[in-house]
């Protein structure tokens, strides 16, 4: 089964290119034929000349990034984008969600959806669609939201996963919080799940774990791509009977999204080291999983600076409900977790620490809340690696902060006229705020 990726805006296209770059290494791995063929079928079409062509659609309202991506990948010799799988214009969306959603999206809907339809028709069996976008600017967020709406209408029975890159908290765009509120509130009604990467977090990983002195957007995008690839590449599920999972997006949904009110997913992985340090690093499964579990419960996205004082709450005797008063300060309650292990001696890894009921909300049994995938095939040069995809309170604080900042601007009517002139009313803003306040409330009650 195949995944069609829709790359939207500058960020979505740049992250998408890095993702296919990582994945193509596995798809070209002749030493592990079954794994390689599964990876290739999932992400690439293969031409008569055995060229790998990404199952991807590139969309931007400016031509520069798409032109660079197409030229660069064509020269790589490993893979390329399709000749007719991209669409761009000469004028951007001006960092305005309303311009992207109300103007550019409807104006170019027909040609964009024709490209998507052509890509879907190349699949023998569609596993799902992954839309990749930023929430800060105008094209990724506004056009991205509109295209997601069109995808939902065109493919009502297919899984749609939105991958969002969250902007730096200090601000890339002055209206980024408006754009983020409008994007998230709409996607919550359209998408099956929303997988989020925060630029601030990834930047810290680059600086503190990868030891990169002058961090570029490409450095940030490569870390995001590594984590995404770790999730989407072939793995063995608990009931796969030795056959690699066929539908990673569908199985991701069934493992993690058990209720339509809870769709926010985060990713953390371990180890993360610079390429120069990798040759001198030794990792064991007990050490990796001990750190990863503490990263989960203490809500830390990297192993450096983990708060080891945070502990899971004690379980209450049977018949006594666990309430908020029983929770420990700083503890990150999970609704569901998916642990993915890749590499040497993977069958010897002890995972019981992630199955303990105290980690999860009391209304879902722990055996339903936890899932594991694994494969003995290492990923991206790491001999052993562990990835945790979590539906938990991890994103509660950044979401609350973003909504709060947007509301403060809205209360003073700052920049509202930039949105109303394209057709987004104050009532539309209020509906979006109400929608996200409900999401915040639901996650707060886990």
């Amino acid at each position: 089964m195949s995944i069609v990726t829709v790359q939207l805006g500058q960020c979505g296209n740049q992250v998408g290119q890095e993702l296919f770059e990582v994945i193509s290494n596995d798809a070209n791995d002749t030493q592990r034929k079954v794994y390689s063929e599964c990876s290739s079928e999932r992400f690439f079409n293969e031409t008569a000349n055995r060229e790998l062509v990404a199952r991807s659609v590139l969309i931007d309202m400016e031509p520069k990034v798409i032109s660079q991506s197409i030229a660069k990948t064509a020269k790589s010799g490993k893979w390329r984008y399709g000749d007719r799988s991209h669409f761009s214009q000469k004028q951007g969306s001006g960092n305005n969600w309303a311009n992207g959603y109300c103007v550019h999206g409807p104006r170019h809907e027909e040609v964009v959806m024709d490209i998507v339809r052509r890509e879907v028709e190349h699949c023998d069996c569609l596993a799902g669609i992954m839309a990749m976008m930023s929430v800060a600017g105008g094209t990724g967020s506004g056009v991205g939201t509109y295209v997601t709406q069109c995808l939902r209408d065109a493919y009502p029975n297919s899984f749609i996963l939105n991958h969002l890159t969250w902007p730096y908290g200090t601000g890339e765009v002055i209206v980024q919080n408006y754009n983020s509120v409008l994007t998230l509130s709409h996607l919550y009604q359209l998408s099956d799940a929303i997988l989020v990467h925060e630029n601030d977090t990834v930047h810290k990983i680059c600086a503190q774990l990868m030891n990169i002195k002058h961090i570029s957007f490409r450095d940030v995008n490569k870390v995001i791509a590594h984590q995404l690839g770790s999730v989407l590449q072939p793995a063995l599920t608990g009931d796969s009977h030795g056959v690699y999972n066929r539908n990673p997006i569908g199985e991701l949904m069934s493992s993690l999204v058990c209720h339509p009110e809870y769709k926010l997913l985060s990713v953390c992985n371990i180890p993360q080291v610079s390429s120069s340090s990798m040759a001198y690093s030794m990792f064991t499964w007990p050490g990796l999983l001990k750190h990863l579990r503490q990263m989960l419960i203490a809500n830390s996205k990297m192993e450096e600076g983990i708060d080891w004082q945070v502990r899971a709450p004690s379980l209450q005797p049977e018949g006594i409900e666990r309430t908020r008063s029983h929770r420990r300060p700083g503890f990150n309650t999970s609704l569901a977790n998916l642990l993915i292990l890749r590499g040497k001696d993977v069958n010897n890894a002890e995972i019981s620490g992630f199955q303990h009921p105290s980690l999860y909300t009391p209304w879902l049994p722990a055996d339903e809340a936890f899932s594991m995938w694994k494969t003995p095939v290492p990923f991206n040069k790491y001999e052993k690696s562990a990835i945790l995809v979590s539906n938990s309170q991890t994103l509660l604080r950044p979401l609350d902060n973003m909504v709060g900042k947007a509301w403060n601007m809205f209360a003073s009517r700052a920049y509202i006229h930039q949105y109303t002139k394209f057709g987004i009313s104050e009532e539309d803003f209020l509906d979006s705020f109400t929608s996200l306040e409900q999401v915040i409330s639901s996650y707060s009650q886990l």
Side-chain angles (χ1 to χ4, degrees):
M1 299 183 77
S2 306
I3 299 170
V4 170
T5 301
V6 182
Q7 304 173 192
L8 295 135
Q10 176 178 331
C11 179
N13 279 292
Q14 290 175 336
V15 174
Q17 181 192 325
E18 296 297 340
L19 174 62
F20 280 105
E21 196 66 37
V22 171
I23 289 169
S24 67
N25 293 328
D26 284 347
N28 284 302
D29 188 348
T30 57
Q31 301 299 312
R32 303 178 178 93
K33 187 177 180 183
V34 174
Y35 178 89
S36 175
E37 287 177 351
C38 184
S39 174
S40 177
E41 178 195 5
R42 187 170 291 183
F43 296 103
F44 297 96
N45 291 307
E46 191 169 329
T47 68
N49 298 327
R50 301 191 64 81
E51 278 187 302
L52 295 181
V53 181
R55 299 185 190 274
S56 188
V57 175
L58 292 72
I59 302 166
D60 202 355
M61 293 301 108
E62 295 176 292
K64 182 179 177 182
V65 171
I66 289 180
S67 298
Q68 289 174 340
S69 294
I70 291 172
K72 184 176 179 181
T73 57
K75 291 177 183 176
S76 73
K78 293 189 295 183
W79 67 283
R80 63 177 176 86
Y81 286 113
D83 296 330
R84 298 195 300 155
S85 65
H86 52 89
F87 174 82
S88 63
Q89 291 290 286
K90 300 294 185 185
Q91 183 180 11
S93 301
N95 291 323
N96 188 318
W97 187 91
N99 192 9
Y101 182 81
C102 299
V103 179
H104 289 305
R107 181 181 295 163
H108 305 300
E109 174 183 350
E110 185 175 347
V111 63
V112 166
M113 291 307 295
D114 277 346
I115 298 171
V116 172
R117 202 168 290 114
R118 206 159 49 231
E119 201 60 52
V120 169
E121 288 170 357
H122 286 155
C123 303
D124 290 335
C125 187
L126 179 66
I129 299 170
M130 180 170 69
M132 306 180 71
M133 53 207 267
S134 165
V135 296
T139 298
S141 65
V143 177
T145 302
Y146 189 85
V147 169
T148 302
Q149 183 175 299
C150 296
L151 292 171
R152 177 50 71 209
D153 291 340
Y155 304 99
N157 299 319
S158 296
F159 291 113
I160 297 178
L161 170 67
N162 282 84
H163 174 262
L164 304 185
T165 302
W166 211 298
Y168 288 98
T170 51
E172 302 167 44
V173 178
I174 196 165
V175 291
Q176 67 182 31
N177 294 307
Y178 280 166
N179 294 337
S180 300
V181 164
L182 291 164
T183 303
L184 274 169
S185 61
H186 283 73
L187 291 182
Y188 228 79
Q189 311 306 315
L190 301 167
S191 183
D192 292 298
I194 300 169
L195 181 60
V196 177
H197 273 98
E198 301 169 72
N199 271 345
D200 285 314
T201 299
V202 181
H203 194 96
K204 287 180 183 177
I205 291 171
C206 290
Q208 298 178 26
L209 300 182
M210 314 297 284
N211 296 320
I212 301 171
K213 302 302 180 189
H214 304 288
I215 300 167
S216 66
F217 278 117
R218 188 178 181 209
D219 295 321
V220 171
N221 294 337
K222 286 174 78 170
V223 171
I224 294 174
H226 171 79
Q227 293 191 347
L228 268 179
S230 299
V231 174
L232 296 172
Q233 282 290 66
L236 304 170
T237 62
D239 56 359
S240 63
H241 307 293
V243 178
Y244 283 116
N245 55 351
R246 300 243 339 166
N247 188 345
I249 291 184
E251 287 165 9
L252 194 74
M253 305 300 180
S254 64
S255 298
L256 293 169
V257 188
C258 62
H259 191 288
E261 195 66 40
Y262 303 91
K263 295 183 177 183
L264 295 177
L265 308 181
S266 60
V267 183
C268 59
N269 74 300
I270 188 171
Q272 296 176 114
V273 298
S274 65
S275 54
S276 59
S277 301
M278 201 177 298
Y280 308 101
S281 303
M282 291 286 291
F283 300 103
T284 65
W285 286 120
L288 291 174
L289 296 179
K290 178 183 178 181
H291 280 76
L292 188 61
R293 183 181 186 275
Q294 191 64 24
M295 288 163 65
L296 169 67
I297 66 175
N299 196 9
S300 173
K301 292 294 179 60
M302 55 185 188
E303 57 266 39
E304 188 168 309
I306 299 174
D307 185 352
W308 290 95
Q309 302 302 312
V310 178
R311 292 285 183 270
S314 56
L315 290 175
Q316 298 303 304
E318 192 171 347
I320 299 178
E321 183 180 355
R322 193 170 88 222
T323 64
R324 297 184 74 181
S325 62
H326 294 124
R327 297 177 193 166
R328 301 200 173 191
F331 177 73
N332 175 40
T333 304
S334 297
L335 177 67
N337 288 310
L338 168 62
L339 178 65
I340 307 170
L341 305 181
R342 299 181 181 276
K344 186 179 178 182
D345 301 326
V346 72
N347 292 320
N348 298 332
E350 172 55 54
I351 60 166
S352 59
F354 293 90
Q355 298 171 306
H356 200 274
S358 63
L359 271 58
Y360 300 96
T361 187
W363 50 264
L364 191 66
D367 59 347
E368 295 181 23
F370 175 78
S371 305
M372 187 184 75
W373 302 348
K374 61 184 179 180
T375 174
V377 179
F379 180 70
N380 207 14
K381 301 178 183 176
Y382 286 91
E383 183 186 61
K384 298 183 180 77
S385 60
I387 305 92
L388 191 72
V389 191
S390 183
N391 189 343
S392 68
Q393 294 175 318
T394 296
L395 295 167
L396 185 55
R397 182 178 295 175
L399 177 60
D400 197 26
N401 288 342
M402 178 265 290
V403 172
K405 289 176 182 177
W407 177 257
N408 289 338
M409 286 181 64
F410 181 78
S412 63
R413 297 301 185 266
Y415 302 102
I416 293 297
H417 66 285
Q418 300 284 359
Y419 292 78
T420 55
K421 72 180 182 182
F422 290 115
I424 296 298
S425 67
E426 293 190 12
E427 287 73 22
D428 293 323
F429 271 100
L430 290 172
D431 288 344
S432 293
F433 281 119
T434 301
S435 172
L436 292 187
E437 288 292 353
Q438 179 58 51
V439 174
I440 290 168
S441 175
S442 296
Y443 273 100
S444 298
Q445 298 301 318
L446 279 180

